Amino acid sequence: MASALCCISSRKARSYTSRPILWVRAKAPTRDLSTTCTRSFHAASTCLQHRSRQGQSLAETPALLYSIRCASTGGTPGVLGIRREGKNKWERRAPVTPQHVKALVGQGLKVIVQPSARRAFPDDEYCEAGALIQEDLSDCAAILGVKEVPPEQLLPDRTWCIFSHTIKAQPAGLPLLDAALEKKVRLVDYECITESGRRGDRRLVGFGSFAGYAGAISFLRGLGERLLALGFSTPLLHLGSAFMYPSLEEARRAVAAAGDAIRKTGLPRELCPFTVVIAGNGKAARGALDIFQLLPHEMLEPAELAGLCSRTVRTDRIYIAVATAEDMVCRRDGARFDKAAYYARPEDHMPIFHRTVLPYTTVLVSAMYWEERFPRLVTHEDLQRHAVSGQNKLVGICDITCDIDGPVPTRQMTSIEQPFHIFNPLTENVSRNLDDPGLLFHAVDHLPSELPREASQHFGDKVLEFLPSLAAARAPQAPGQGDSATLPPAIRGAIITEGGELTPPFRYIQELRADQKKRAVKAQSESFPLERGPAPRRPLPLSELTARRVHATSARAWGCRLQHFSSMKEGASGAPSSGSRSILVLGAGFVCRPLVEYLLRRPENRLVVASLRQSDLNVAVGGLGPRVRPELVDVASASGNVAATLEALVKESDLVVSLLPAMLHVGIAELAIRHQKAMVTTSYVSAEMEALDSPARDAGVLILNEVGLDPGIDHMSAMKMINAARDDGGRIVGFSSVCGGLPAPEAAGNPLGYKFSWSPRGVLVASAAAARFKRAGRLHEVNGHDLLASAERVSFSSLTFDALPNRDSTVFAELYGLADAPSFFRGTLRYPGFCDRVLALARLGLLEQSSTTSLRLAADVAGPTSCREWFSRLLGVASSERASLEAALESRLAGLGQEGARLGLEFVAWLGLLGDGPLPPDAKVDSPIDVTVSLLQRSETAYQPGERDFVAMRHELTLERADGAFELRSATLLAYGIPFGATAMSRTVGTTAAICSQLVLDEPRRFGAGVQRPLTPKWYEPALLALESEGISLEESSQLLQEPSAAGVGQPLPASVGLAAARPV
C-alpha cells in the first residue's frame, strides 16, 4: 500500500495536542487532507459556499467536494474511525488499541484515529500501526467510541458503536437517541452485543471485570480512611485508588502487601469477623472477588455468616461470601428456588437478603445485574431499620454497578477524584466528610477508566471480530435496507436505531419515555400544585418522620465502630404514631398488591389482608413488612366461626376495602354499616347495594363504590369533561366512552388478539349480553345474539379497535346528567378480528351454556371421542369427515359474509375442532361453552413471562358552543403493564382504589355518608390529580368542527357503532 504524509493541521487538532504540527508517515492512500478537516457535512457546505462567493473555482477544491460527498453519503465503506473520548479528564480508554488497529489494517481496512494527548495510547503508536491521525472522521462508514457522544458531534448516516446509555430511556441519553434518529445513524450499543443477539443472553463485549478490579481497589482505599475516622488504623490506610498505580499488576501487589500486614498484625477485634459479601457472580463480581482474595481470607456461603458472627473468630483474615439470586430472594409460595423461574416471574418471589445476610455484613459489594422488575437487594428502609434496631455491623457499600436507587440505595454518584461519601440512612444526608456519621458509599460510574490500558486491550480483543463487517457498508437510509440483515446476529441484536427509526427490539424505549414524561408531570404537580381543588395529601415517607425525630440528636458517639449508629437511635424506634389507622382488605387478587403498596406509603397505616388461599396472600403481601398482617378467611363460608372472625376484623378496622367478587359486597357492607366503618369497593353498584343507601346514611357510614378503572377512572374523567363543558356554557349533544383491557400490541399474537388472565368463560358470556344506547335522539337496543355483529371499527392514537356496545348506556346517561343529550354511548374495545371470530363461535353453537342432552348421550355410548367427532355431533352432521364438516361450517357461517366465514373456519381449525386430537380431559362434553373454554385455555391465550397488558380508554364529547360552532373534545388514556412487573389493569384498578381509600381516611367527614360513586368534584378532582402523580392520566385535546354534519352531532365516537344490528325503539 502506498504511504502518505498525514498532517494534524486543524485548529481543533492543535488545541487537543497542545504541540506543534506533527508530520507522521501512515500506511494509507494518498489524499490531501489538510483542507478537509471538517466536522460535518454542514461545515463543509459552508466552506464551499464561501469559496464560491469569493470567485474561486469549485473544480479547485476536489478534497472539499470529496468531504461533502462523504458527509452526505455516509462515508466510505471499509473506513473505520476511532473517536477521541472527551466526557471527562479521566476517560483515557479507547475501543481498540494500536495492536488491534494493526490487525484491522492488515485485513484491508483504513483506520482513522482522532488525535488525543490524553488517551492511554499515544498517537504515535496508532500511526505506527498503520492508522491515519486526523480530526476529520467524515470519510468513515463506521465510528467507534467508548462513552456516549454529544449529539452535535454525531456525524449523520454512519454506524456509531458506543455505550449509548439509552436502552433504559436514561434521561441523560435521550438527546443522543433523538439525534441518532434525526441523523439516521445506525446506533450499535456494546451493552447489547450478546451471544445470540437476544437481550438477557451472555454479553460478549464489555469492561465488566475491570470495573470489579478498579472498584474493589479504590473502595479498599476509602475503607482505610473511613476506619481511621471510626478510630481504627489498619493496613488498608496505605492503599491508593486504582488510577494511582501505573498498571493493574502494580495495584494488585499493593493490595497483597496490605494483606501481608493484616496476616501479621490482624484487624481490630471490634470489627471482627470482618465479612465481605459480594452480590452477583458476573464479570464485575468476579473482578472484585479477585482483588479481595489478595487479602488473607476464608470463603463462606452466605448462610454461614450468621453462625460465624455468633462465635469467637480470628482477626488475621477477612471472611468472603458470594451471594447469588438464591441468597437474595425466596418464592412466595414456599416452593424450592429455581433461577429460571425467578428471572421469568420475579413477582412470585420476595426479598430475604436484608434479613438473612445484611445483618452479618461488614462490607457489601453490589456487582449484580438489576432491573426494576427485580426486588431490591437492600432498601433505604432496610438500612434505617438496622440502624434503629442496633443491627449496625455494616460499614460501607461499594456500588460497582452504579444504579441510582437500584439494588442498593445509592443516592448520588461519586467521581474518580472524589470517590467516597457518607450516607446517613436516618437523616438521608449525604456528606463528603468521611468523619460524619453514616455508611461509606463508593459509586463511580466509569471505573474501568482507572485502568485504561488493560481495560482497552481486553475490550478490543472482544470487539475486534465484529469490526470488519460493521465498516463494510454504509448505514441504511431506511429501516430494512442495507446490509443489516447480513451482519452477525450478535451485532443485529445490538442495533438500537437505523434509518431514522428505533429497531423492533428497542421500540419499548418510546413507552419508557412516555412514563418518564408522566413522572415529570408528577414532580411538577408536587412543586406547583394546581389551584383547582384540594390536592390529595402525599404519603409522608418513613425516612422523613425518622429524620424529624432524630434531627437534634448528638452524633458524638460515632467515633467507635460499635456505636456508629447508637447516637441516632433515640426517638427513632419506628413505632406507629398515635394516629395509627387499621385498614381491612378483603380479597388478595391481582389488584391487591398495588393497593397495599400505595397505602403503606403512609406510616400510620396498618393493614390486614384476608383471603381464602395462602398462595394468594404470599403473592399479594409477601415481603411488604410488619405493617401488613395476612389472615386466612373464607368470606363466602356460612360457618358461624368464620362469620364471627370476619365481624371481628371489620369491627377492629377504620376502613374496609372489599376486592371480593361483587356478589359478596352487600354482606360486607351490612357489617360495615352495623359497626359504623367506611367501605370502599371497585365494583358497580348493584340494586341490592343501592338499597343500603338509606341505612348507611342513617348510620353515618360511607359506602364508596366504582373506584377502579372501568368503573372508576372512566367516571371521574368523564365527569371532569362534562362539567368543564357545562362551565363553558355550551350544550352537550353527544358523549361516548370506550375502554378495553387487552394484551399490548406486541403480545397480541393469537387469532383473537386477546389473552385471558383467568377463565375465558366470563369474557365469552359477556359477548352475548344485550345493550342499549342513544343515537341522534333515538334509543337503540342490541340483543345478546347480535352484540358481536354490532361492532364497529374505531381508531385513535395510531391504534385500531373494534368497539362493542357495553350493556345499558342509558343508566350512565342519567348518572352523568346527560339524559337529555341526543347521543350517549359506552363501549368495550377489542382488537380487530376478535368479534368476527367469537361471533362465528356463537353462530356454531359453541357458546351455548345449557347442557346438550344429545352430546351427553353420545358420549355415554361412544366413550372418549376426538374434537372433530364431538364437533360433528354438535352441528348434527352425520359424517365426521373433515370435508363434510367444512361444508357444513360454510353453510352455517354464510350469513357472516365471505370474510367472516373464512375467519370463522380458520378459527375453529386453530382451536383444534377439525382435528383428531382428544377433547380436553376437564371439558364437560355436554356443555358447548365449557368445551370451548377448555380449548381456549392454552399457552397462546395466556400471558407469558415478560409480556405486557395494555389499557385503552377514550372519551369523546361533542359540544355545541354558545357561538353556534361545534367542538369535539377528547380524552385518552393508554397504560401499559411493566414487563415482569405489575399489569396495567392491576395498577390502574388498585391504585385508584387506594387513592380513594386514603381520601376517606384523611377526611372522612368531607365526603358524607350513604352509597356513593365518585361522580362529584370533591371525589374526582383530588383523585385524578393523585393518579396523574402516579403516571396515570388522560391526555385531553379539542378541535373545532366546521359544520354540524362534520361534528357527528348526536353521533360521538364511534360514529356508527351498533347501527348494523341495533334496533331503534
Side-chain angles (χ1 to χ4, degrees), residues 485-535:
T486 66
L487 291 172
I491 294 297
R492 289 203 306 271
I495 299 173
I496 296 177
T497 66
E498 188 173 72
E501 294 185 9
L502 289 165
T503 58
F506 295 95
R507 287 176 184 161
Y508 68 86
I509 295 176
Q510 292 288 33
E511 291 148 22
L512 293 180
R513 296 185 72 170
D515 289 341
Q516 287 179 359
K517 181 179 178 182
K518 290 178 179 179
R519 287 196 294 270
V521 171
K522 169 186 174 181
Q524 185 178 18
S525 67
E526 291 174 352
S527 300
F528 304 100
L530 301 178
E531 296 180 0
R532 50 181 301 173

Side-chain angles (χ1 to χ4, degrees), residues 23 43 118 180 198 212 278 286 352 362 447 547 577 682 696 709 726 731 871 890 913 970 1011 1032:
W23 291 90
R118 189 178 287 155
R198 294 189 296 269
I278 299 175
R286 291 195 292 271
I352 58 173
T362 308
L447 285 167
S577 67
T682 61
L709 169 68
R726 288 173 175 148
R731 183 176 75 95
F871 196 25
E890 290 176 359
L913 287 168
S970 64
V1011 175
I1032 302 170

Side-chain angles (χ1 to χ4, degrees), residues 986-1007:
S986 67
R987 195 161 55 92
T988 51
V989 175
T991 305
T992 305
I995 287 169
C996 292
S997 297
Q998 193 64 60
L999 289 173
V1000 174
L1001 288 167
D1002 287 344
E1003 300 181 85
R1005 296 181 180 178
R1006 179 184 176 201
F1007 300 105

Side-chain angles (χ1 to χ4, degrees), residues 203-345:
R203 286 178 58 184
L204 298 181
V205 176
F207 294 99
S209 56
F210 289 88
Y213 297 145
I217 293 166
S218 298
F219 179 77
L220 287 173
R221 168 203 164 186
L223 188 60
E225 294 184 36
R226 176 58 177 163
L227 293 179
L228 183 66
L230 294 175
F232 305 107
S233 176
T234 68
L236 302 179
L237 186 61
H238 308 297
L239 292 175
S241 290
F243 77 90
M244 297 176 177
Y245 301 97
S247 67
L248 175 58
E249 189 55 37
E250 288 289 331
R252 289 172 57 85
R253 280 197 288 267
V255 176
D260 290 339
I262 291 173
R263 190 177 289 109
K264 292 176 182 178
T265 62
L267 292 166
R269 187 167 299 278
E270 295 91 337
L271 299 175
C272 295
F274 195 105
T275 58
V276 176
V277 176
I278 299 175
N281 59 357
K283 293 178 180 178
R286 291 195 292 271
L289 178 62
D290 179 75
I291 297 301
F292 278 101
Q293 285 180 326
L294 295 172
L295 303 175
H297 67 277
E298 183 177 331
M299 296 298 299
L300 298 174
E301 292 297 322
E304 298 178 275
L305 293 176
L308 175 73
C309 292
S310 65
R311 66 177 190 264
T312 303
V313 295
R314 300 176 62 169
T315 63
D316 62 348
R317 65 193 59 190
I318 65 172
Y319 295 85
I320 304 175
V322 176
T324 60
E326 189 171 5
D327 306 302
M328 302 173 189
V329 298
C330 69
R331 288 183 61 92
R332 297 185 187 278
D333 59 7
R336 185 173 180 177
F337 177 83
D338 178 76
K339 184 177 179 180
Y342 172 53
Y343 280 99
R345 291 187 60 82

Side-chain angles (χ1 to χ4, degrees), residues 591-647:
V591 304
C592 180
R593 193 172 183 92
L595 177 137
V596 172
E597 287 178 335
Y598 185 93
L599 291 173
L600 283 177
R601 297 182 196 175
R602 294 283 285 269
E604 68 270 27
N605 290 342
R606 300 290 186 270
L607 289 89
V608 175
V609 179
S611 179
L612 171 65
R613 289 181 289 270
Q614 182 65 49
S615 58
D616 290 345
L617 288 170
N618 291 341
V619 172
V621 302
L624 293 183
R627 289 192 289 130
V628 184
R629 189 179 91 226
E631 289 279 352
L632 280 173
V633 179
D634 182 2
V635 176
S637 172
S639 164
N641 291 336
V642 172
T645 299
L646 180 60
E647 184 159 8

Side-chain angles (χ1 to χ4, degrees), residues 49-61:
Q49 294 167 9
H50 174 73
R51 292 191 178 195
S52 178
R53 287 194 298 269
Q54 297 298 318
Q56 299 181 31
S57 170
L58 298 185
E60 297 174 1
T61 59

Side-chain angles (χ1 to χ4, degrees), residues 93 206-219 242 248 283-289 291 365-367 398-402 442 444-451 455 458:
R93 289 175 290 175
F207 294 99
S209 56
F210 289 88
Y213 297 145
I217 293 166
S218 298
F219 179 77
L248 175 58
K283 293 178 180 178
R286 291 195 292 271
L289 178 62
I291 297 301
V365 179
S366 176
C398 176
D399 186 4
I400 291 176
T401 50
C402 291
H442 176 260
V444 176
D445 71 343
H446 48 106
L447 285 167
S449 62
E450 295 197 47
L451 300 166
H458 170 83

